[in-house]
Amino acid sequence: QRRANMRPTTQSGQPRPTPVTGKMPFPSSAPVDAVLTTAYGDDAGLHGLSTAGHNAALTPAEVLLEEAERHDFQYGEVLPAGVRKALGEAHLDAQSGRSLVELGAGTGKVALQAFLECPSLLRVTAVELAAARYRVGEAALLRLCERIPERFSLLAHAPGACVRISERPPAADTSAHQREGSSRELELSVGDVFELGAAARAALAEADVVF
């Protein structure tokens, strides 16, 4: 158990100053949740069997693969509070990394939340096997670029296969990666994690965090 609320003290009993680290703090959850809602609508707040990911129908080819026990399309989602905890310093420590790969991304909610929660991540790459679940995430990212164009831009889009967006930083953003002139990108694609393309394999090999 982490004693996060107990700060060391000096001999006089005064709290020691909190050390400054290079890690970037998580943004407040309210703005992040608002962006998730913009992208996914009411589905951002749903859980259990009512989510779009659970209700996304498999294609006939995917059904055959599952029946042949070549693929398992069983689905589950991590709630935003759980994602936030998993990304934290006590677990994945994603705010210390520059790249994250999510394998089995579902509708892309976790990938987008990681992208929003961790400004230090310059690239987030997410791969989903089920085409219908990918399409939910594809529509969400396109919606985000359409509704918040001053912040999010569409970089590439192959309908039904891949979508890649970037985030334009606020003018007042003085974070290290912005000072260096680096852009931040999120890519969601559909595919088999055991048959990744060259770009996805390279992203996986270089990833600081794998979810």
Side-chain angles (χ1 to χ4, degrees):
Q1 182 178 356
R2 291 174 62 83
R3 298 187 294 176
N5 294 325
M6 296 183 64
R7 293 177 55 188
T9 60
T10 64
Q11 291 183 349
S12 62
Q14 296 299 316
R16 293 186 184 276
T18 301
V20 177
T21 69
K23 296 180 181 179
M24 302 179 69
F26 280 162
S28 168
S29 62
V32 170
D33 293 344
V35 175
L36 290 172
T37 300
T38 298
Y40 290 93
D42 292 340
D43 195 59
L46 298 179
H47 57 85
L49 299 179
S50 59
T51 65
H54 276 289
N55 292 312
L58 299 179
T59 66
E62 290 169 347
V63 171
L64 291 176
L65 286 171
E66 190 167 51
E67 290 176 347
E69 298 184 349
R70 291 187 58 190
H71 289 302
D72 185 352
F73 290 91
Q74 185 173 353
Y75 185 72
E77 287 193 9
V78 184
L79 296 177
V83 173
R84 191 166 290 118
K85 183 176 181 179
L87 294 173
E89 184 176 359
H91 300 284
L92 294 176
D93 196 18
Q95 67 269 43
S96 294
R98 288 200 161 208
S99 60
L100 178 147
V101 172
E102 184 188 11
L103 302 176
T107 61
K109 288 180 186 175
V110 169
L112 178 56
Q113 183 174 347
F115 188 64
L116 299 170
E117 295 268 10
C118 305
S120 63
L121 291 174
L122 301 183
R123 184 169 180 83
V124 173
T125 303
V127 182
E128 168 55 28
L129 179 63
R133 291 169 188 154
Y134 161 80
R135 287 195 294 271
V136 174
E138 177 185 55
L141 296 184
L142 293 176
R143 188 178 302 116
L144 200 59
C145 293
E146 177 183 341
R147 296 188 178 179
I148 317 179
E150 67 279 7
R151 181 175 176 185
F152 300 99
S153 301
L154 181 64
L155 297 179
H157 182 212
C162 180
V163 59
R164 180 159 49 96
I165 70 170
S166 66
E167 181 187 27
R168 183 179 297 109
D173 192 335
T174 59
S175 59
H177 70 269
Q178 294 303 340
R179 291 196 302 270
E180 296 167 4
S182 302
S183 61
R184 302 184 64 231
E185 299 180 5
L186 165 61
E187 179 177 298
L188 174 64
S189 62
V190 62
D192 187 336
V193 297
F194 295 106
E195 300 175 1
L196 295 176
R201 288 200 305 272
L204 181 58
E206 297 172 358
D208 297 308
V209 181
V210 178
F211 199 106

